[in-house]
Amino acid sequence: MLVVVALGEETKRFSQLHAQIAGISKKMLTQVLRELERNSLDKRVVYLVIPPMVEYSLTPLGLTLRELIYALRDWSERYIEEVERRRTEYDQQDKTLLQEQIMALVQQWTEAS
Amino acid sequence: MLVVVALGEETKRFSQLHAQIAGISKKMLTQVLRELERNSLDKRVVYLVIPPMVEYSLTPLGLTLRELIYALRDWSERYIEEVERRRTEYDQQDKTLLQEQIMALVQQWTEAS
DNA sequence: CCGGATCCGGTTTGATACTG
DNA sequence: CAGTATCAAACCGGATCCGG
């Protein structure tokens, strides 16, 4: 998905994509690009020069999918803060419950001794 | 994702969801539902009865996400055939190449002997 | 009925080195 | 530059048993 976003409107080279997508390995990038190509979502053009040059671009089909991915990205950007806030609450709630359970155990122990 | 679609508009019980989503294990369903709950995308209501009864429903936030998921589902339904057709072509192309390579090897071998 | 806990094989991934 | 090859490590996801 990030790959489709990274491709954007333009044709890009392998190393450009690799630099643009933080933390992806060459292996994974290759794998994803090949799979997209297989599904005809992107196009791969190899120039027979030295050093090698390979360009990737979205197909018309890929472009239609990109719109949806943009919508997802916008949703994330809009709600990411709320989700993270809620998640923190949820996790702390768990922590509170755990504390209560521990306190209960301590109490039982003190009563028993 | 399928879980969000399955939840739809209504409140549903665990076993309903489990029956509705083909091939998901209880473990996975539980895991997904808990993660969604953690991100406040669904709500979990436990009734303290025997046998247990647990109901799940989408939160307002979850409802906004559901719209996007519907869009993705529609995209899939619309283009799935094209993608599969292209994929088949792509794979057969590979097979053809492989055959050519094998033929070339056979030729070399027959020439050598 | 709705899970939690544990084990366990298979897939995926990262790291590293290498190549035309 | 744009990958491929190989191996170890991490991460699932399923199967099974248990428990309120």
Side-chain angles (χ1 to χ4, degrees):
Chain A
M1 252 187 44
L2 288 172
V3 174
V4 173
V5 172
L7 268 169
E9 307 276 353
E10 320 144 40
T11 292
K12 297 217 171 153
R13 300 187 55 179
F14 184 86
S15 45
Q16 283 183 285
L17 292 171
H18 192 220
Q20 195 172 340
I21 305 171
I24 196 172
S25 64
K26 287 193 294 181
K27 183 179 166 184
M28 278 304 102
L29 182 55
T30 301
Q31 209 172 95
V32 171
L33 285 168
R34 287 293 154 78
E35 194 61 20
L36 290 174
E37 188 196 359
R38 193 165 95 99
N39 298 341
S40 74
L41 294 173
D42 75 19
K43 196 162 54 109
R44 178 165 176 269
V45 179
V46 182
Y47 297 91
L48 294 174
V49 294
I50 293 177
M53 178 160 103
V54 182
E55 288 185 342
Y56 296 91
S57 56
L58 290 177
T59 63
L61 186 57
L63 287 172
T64 67
L65 181 59
R66 198 185 51 157
E67 298 307 311
L68 299 187
I69 293 179
Y70 279 168
L72 283 175
R73 190 195 52 185
D74 293 344
W75 187 91
S76 301
E77 283 176 1
R78 180 159 175 202
Y79 293 114
I80 182 70
E81 289 185 10
E82 175 165 0
V83 168
E84 285 184 344
R85 194 163 42 74
R86 301 279 202 144
R87 191 149 52 191
T88 308
E89 286 171 19
Y90 187 91
D91 293 346
Q92 286 183 349
Q93 192 183 69
D94 280 357
K95 207 179 286 179
T96 307
L97 281 176
L98 187 60
Q99 282 178 357
E100 283 172 8
Q101 284 169 14
I102 292 172
M103 291 307 290
L105 284 174
V106 169
Q107 184 137 10
Q108 281 176 21
W109 179 78
T110 51
E111 282 171 6
S113 58
Chain B
M1 251 185 45
L2 287 172
V3 174
V4 174
V5 172
L7 268 170
E9 307 276 353
E10 321 146 39
T11 291
K12 297 216 172 153
R13 299 189 53 181
F14 184 86
S15 42
Q16 282 184 284
L17 292 171
H18 192 219
Q20 194 172 342
I21 306 170
I24 195 171
S25 65
K26 288 193 296 179
K27 179 180 170 183
M28 277 305 103
L29 183 54
T30 301
Q31 209 173 94
V32 171
L33 286 168
R34 285 296 153 79
E35 195 60 20
L36 290 174
E37 188 196 357
R38 194 165 95 98
N39 297 341
S40 73
L41 294 173
D42 75 17
K43 196 160 55 109
R44 178 164 176 267
V45 180
V46 182
Y47 296 91
L48 294 175
V49 294
I50 291 178
M53 177 160 104
V54 184
E55 288 186 343
Y56 296 91
S57 56
L58 290 177
T59 63
L61 186 57
L63 287 171
T64 66
L65 181 59
R66 197 185 51 156
E67 298 308 311
L68 299 186
I69 293 179
Y70 281 166
L72 283 174
R73 191 196 49 186
D74 293 345
W75 188 92
S76 301
E77 284 176 1
R78 178 158 176 202
Y79 292 115
I80 183 69
E81 289 185 11
E82 176 165 0
V83 167
E84 285 183 344
R85 192 163 43 73
R86 302 283 201 140
R87 192 150 50 191
T88 307
E89 286 172 18
Y90 187 92
D91 293 347
Q92 287 183 348
Q93 194 183 65
D94 280 355
K95 206 180 286 180
T96 306
L97 281 176
L98 187 60
Q99 282 178 355
E100 282 172 8
Q101 283 169 16
I102 292 171
M103 291 306 290
L105 284 174
V106 169
Q107 184 136 10
Q108 280 177 23
W109 178 79
T110 52
E111 282 171 6
S113 57

